[in-house]
Amino acid sequence: MEQTAAFWIAAGMATFFVGMSKGGLPMVAMLGVPILSVFIPPAAAAGLLLPMYILADIYAVWLFRGQYSARNLKILIPASAIGILAAFLLVSRVPVEASKLVVALIGLGYLLDALRKRLSGDFRSRPADVPRGLFWGALAGFTSYISHAGGPPFQAYTLPQKLPKMTFAGTATITFACINWMKLPPYVLAGQVTWESLKQISVLAPVALIGAWSGYRVTKWLPERIFFTLVNIALGLLCLKLLSEVAQAWWPGA
């Protein structure tokens, strides 16, 4: 790993955004890996940031204590474990680009459906239920393991419930904290997380914690309507980013 000043500035920025996403701002989560990917391969960047995700998760879970949907957690966490196990067993057979394409289409499909309901005046909420939760939770675990993009399936399931802002953010934080802990052993086995990478990135631990605190404060400060508008915009941008990555991989000359 090239430890230039530019690398450490980029690593610091990526770590701060990781922390902010764990503090309740999922709209900045997509920035971490692309920033580091300027200096190292994306897979290595994802492995390097995973310990920072986990560290920020621990603090963020404490920040959101009491602010979550227990019913959703009871459904989503076991479901995501199933998805992670399936991804671990099938990772060599599932093209990364295929999973990115599925995730992007899921996210865009949800956004189009949400727009249709808004235009038709349908503002009803859809409560948490086990069948849908098992499906979307497993898909979130699967795609998070394969391509680090578990957000769209999670949001496709939880956003229609119209949860309060802090409940939504706390549920997302705790769900993905569990997903990241479950991803750690396979990442270690794959060599994406090593003692050397842990030593190199450990100096940025305070940045992750500051980012989590900052994200939590901004989440509390943002009006509910603006918060969810930003979540939907970020979801759309993430889907477009994933489609761009698929296009570059499948049609490099396009």
Side-chain angles (χ1 to χ4, degrees):
M1 183 186 303
E2 186 182 359
Q3 297 184 20
T4 63
F7 167 80
W8 284 112
I9 291 171
M13 291 175 58
T15 302
F16 183 76
F17 288 135
V18 163
M20 287 196 76
S21 71
K22 293 303 176 182
L25 294 175
M27 58 284 293
V28 300
M30 70 181 78
L31 300 175
V33 171
I35 290 173
L36 267 184
S37 296
V38 174
F39 299 90
I40 57 178
L48 193 66
L49 287 176
L50 182 59
M52 294 298 99
Y53 272 105
I54 290 174
L55 178 63
D57 282 332
I58 295 171
Y59 181 45
V61 167
W62 180 80
L63 286 173
F64 283 102
R65 60 195 184 281
Q67 300 178 95
Y68 55 84
S69 166
R71 175 165 174 77
N72 275 303
L73 294 179
K74 290 176 182 178
I75 298 170
L76 290 169
I77 293 173
S80 63
I82 295 171
I84 290 170
L85 177 61
F88 177 68
L89 296 175
L90 299 173
V91 66
S92 61
R93 303 179 185 179
V94 178
V96 173
E97 287 73 24
S99 93
K100 289 181 179 180
L101 178 60
V102 169
V103 169
L105 293 178
I106 287 170
L108 292 175
Y110 160 75
L111 291 173
L112 289 173
D113 185 59
L115 178 62
R116 177 189 64 80
K117 290 179 179 178
R118 178 173 290 276
L119 293 176
S120 65
D122 182 1
F123 298 103
R124 292 173 297 175
S125 62
R126 188 168 187 176
D129 63 89
V130 174
R132 291 177 59 252
L134 288 176
F135 173 77
W136 291 114
L139 193 58
F142 188 93
T143 55
S144 179
Y145 183 92
I146 296 281
S147 58
H148 318 292
F154 171 86
Q155 292 172 10
Y157 172 63
T158 53
L159 285 175
Q161 298 176 32
K162 302 188 184 303
L163 298 169
K165 173 185 64 176
M166 299 305 288
T167 303
F168 169 82
T171 303
T173 294
I174 296 172
T175 299
F176 284 100
C178 294
I179 287 176
N180 287 332
W181 275 104
M182 288 186 284
K183 285 161 56 177
L184 183 58
Y187 271 53
V188 172
L189 290 175
Q192 288 178 260
V193 177
T194 64
W195 283 115
E196 186 63 26
S197 67
L198 287 175
K199 287 189 292 184
Q200 291 173 329
I201 205 71
S202 61
V203 296
L204 296 174
V207 179
L209 299 179
I210 293 171
W213 178 85
S214 301
Y216 180 78
R217 300 304 300 179
V218 172
T219 299
K220 288 192 70 174
W221 169 76
L222 279 173
E224 190 132 335
R225 185 169 183 176
I226 293 176
F227 173 82
F228 282 111
T229 298
L230 291 175
V231 169
N232 284 323
I233 291 173
L235 176 59
L237 291 175
L238 175 59
C239 293
L240 293 176
K241 175 179 176 294
L242 292 173
L243 289 176
S244 172
E245 292 176 0
V246 171
Q248 289 173 9
W250 285 353
W251 302 286

